[in-house]
Amino acid sequence: DGEVAMADKGRILLAWCDNGTVDGKFAEGIIYTMIGGHLPIVSASRVQGNQIGRQRQTLFEYWYDQTDIEWILWVDSDIVLNHDAITKVWDAANIALRPAVAGTYFISKENEQALMQPYPALFNAKDGDPYTMQYVHPLAFNEVIKVDYAGYGFFLMHRSVAKKMREVHGNRSFFMETSDGDDDKFIGEDIRFFMMMKKAGIPLHAHTGAVVQHMKRFSFDAEFYRLYWVNQLRAELAQEEKAGE
């Protein structure tokens, strides 16, 4: 019965954009997802280039205009997929109630620092201002929650989302990196997409238990060395004190 229900839910196109070179861990996640999973992923597609907004739009148009595949699962080329996370996003998705579901990964504004400060790539508009966003933090794990915006690095959506956005916004690009108003503010192409999705009346949900790795540069220096081993020592001492009680 479960297999029949899964088949009735539709098929998935796995899609990503890259600049021609990807990390081995990303490739590993893609391969294991394609050959070892149980979800109805029937095809994969990528667009190569260096203009992410244009790449996403090209891939979006290919999926919606040239295929009849019901769902598209977007993944960034610095994300490492795993079966548990994909399954949770897929199980949470519902054509009528949750046609757009993001998974969870972590980002930092301090990618070059010795110890990056992590926040989930999930956001809400602050005080009703769509251009002032706040992180969904602290994060409640393993829940399906409603959010205003998310990163585009791990995101599943149904064709009905694209249909509604076309009806509301026409054939405009959904992935511009500027605001929709006269102020011409710079915003990320993923946030722009979710702003337009919200204007079309489509809810965005996120599964906080569907967590994937996000690969970023990290500096192994003396500060990190000290921080790591000092805390390691503290943990060992605490364990010894507990054992001696």
Side-chain angles (χ1 to χ4, degrees):
D1 292 342
E3 292 182 359
V4 172
M6 184 176 293
D8 289 345
K9 193 170 182 176
R11 302 157 296 163
I12 304 171
L13 172 71
L14 182 60
W16 71 91
C17 305
D18 63 66
N19 63 1
T21 302
V22 297
D23 190 279
K25 290 184 70 63
F26 168 78
E28 179 182 60
I30 292 291
I31 292 169
Y32 286 165
T33 296
M34 294 295 292
I35 67 175
H38 62 280
L39 300 184
I41 298 174
V42 297
S43 185
S45 183
R46 64 178 283 264
V47 173
Q48 178 180 331
N50 294 297
Q51 295 179 307
I52 186 61
R54 184 175 297 179
Q55 290 170 260
R56 292 202 198 284
Q57 186 69 31
T58 298
L59 196 41
F60 178 94
E61 291 172 355
Y62 166 75
W63 164 64
Y64 188 69
D65 296 327
Q66 299 185 42
T67 83
D68 60 355
I69 300 173
E70 294 86 353
W71 298 85
I72 183 169
L73 176 62
W74 297 87
V75 55
D76 277 356
S77 59
D78 57 1
I79 292 294
V80 184
L81 293 178
N82 64 78
H83 294 307
D84 178 69
I86 297 175
T87 300
K88 285 180 177 177
V89 167
W90 176 246
D91 289 345
N94 179 286
I95 297 172
L97 301 176
R98 293 187 292 271
V101 180
T104 299
Y105 58 94
F106 299 95
I107 59 175
S108 177
K109 293 182 178 180
E110 303 168 328
N111 289 341
E112 302 302 324
Q113 299 299 315
L115 188 61
M116 296 183 290
Q117 190 173 46
Y119 288 99
L122 304 172
F123 314 91
N124 285 318
K126 186 177 181 180
D127 300 326
D129 180 0
Y131 299 108
T132 304
M133 290 171 286
Q134 57 188 7
Y135 293 105
V136 179
H137 173 79
L139 188 68
F141 279 98
N142 211 30
E143 293 184 5
V144 178
I145 61 175
K146 195 172 181 180
V147 298
D148 289 327
Y149 317 113
Y152 219 78
F154 182 37
F155 171 56
L156 176 72
M157 72 175 184
H158 187 258
R159 292 183 69 84
S160 59
V161 174
K163 182 175 185 295
K164 181 65 174 178
M165 290 182 71
R166 283 273 182 88
E167 290 172 354
V168 173
H169 300 294
N171 290 322
R172 299 167 58 196
S173 171
F174 299 143
F175 299 96
M176 298 292 289
E177 293 187 338
T178 57
S179 64
D180 200 24
D182 297 330
D183 47 15
D184 203 34
K185 293 181 179 179
F186 175 83
I187 55 175
E189 86 291 336
D190 44 4
I191 300 301
R192 169 61 179 266
F193 178 89
F194 290 118
M195 282 184 173
M196 297 181 75
M197 195 176 86
K198 189 175 183 179
K199 287 182 179 179
I202 303 164
L204 172 62
H205 290 83
H207 197 313
T208 64
V211 180
V212 290
Q213 295 179 45
H214 190 202
M215 297 179 293
K216 289 297 182 182
R217 293 177 59 188
F218 192 89
S219 174
F220 282 93
D221 58 10
E223 182 179 351
F224 179 76
Y225 177 85
R226 287 191 296 269
L227 181 65
Y228 180 89
W229 289 109
V230 165
N231 281 283
Q232 184 78 1
L233 179 59
R234 287 174 178 169
E236 292 174 358
L237 290 174
Q239 193 171 19
E240 289 176 2
E241 289 177 1
K242 186 176 181 180
E245 292 177 355

